[in-house]
Amino acid sequence: LQNYTVSEITSLAKGRSQRTGDFNIADADSAVVSDTPGVGQFKTGAFTLAGVEVSLNAGDSLNTVAAKINAVKGTTHISANV
């Protein structure tokens, strides 16, 4: 057993939540990723989330997009909920 003393704290982490605007889809398993996206859809491709690339494929559902974001949560410390 060892003892440690914290002598200086240079910054504190703060939790943050971000929400998109509302849009309508049939359900969270409907496709929301497209090569030619409409309102409430994402464009096929990749984006960087806290230094980690996340790829979206045509036909991915909202649940799939959230699962891809959550798959890298251990590295990014960012999660998605539907």
Side-chain angles (χ1 to χ4, degrees):
L1 182 64
Q2 294 186 19
N3 293 316
Y4 296 93
T5 301
V6 176
S7 59
E8 181 181 358
I9 298 173
T10 58
S11 66
L12 294 174
K14 292 184 179 181
R16 185 173 144 203
S17 177
Q18 186 170 343
R19 178 185 150 99
T20 63
D22 293 333
F23 57 91
N24 293 317
I25 57 174
D27 58 57
D29 291 315
S30 297
V32 295
V33 179
S34 173
D35 293 330
T36 54
V39 175
Q41 289 188 315
F42 301 98
K43 183 166 177 54
T44 303
F47 63 96
T48 302
L49 189 62
V52 177
E53 187 173 281
V54 177
S55 296
L56 302 181
N57 303 308
D60 282 352
S61 69
L62 200 54
N63 282 330
T64 301
V65 172
K68 288 180 176 187
I69 292 170
N70 291 332
V72 296
K73 179 182 175 185
T75 303
T76 65
H77 307 290
I78 296 171
S79 64
N81 297 306
V82 177

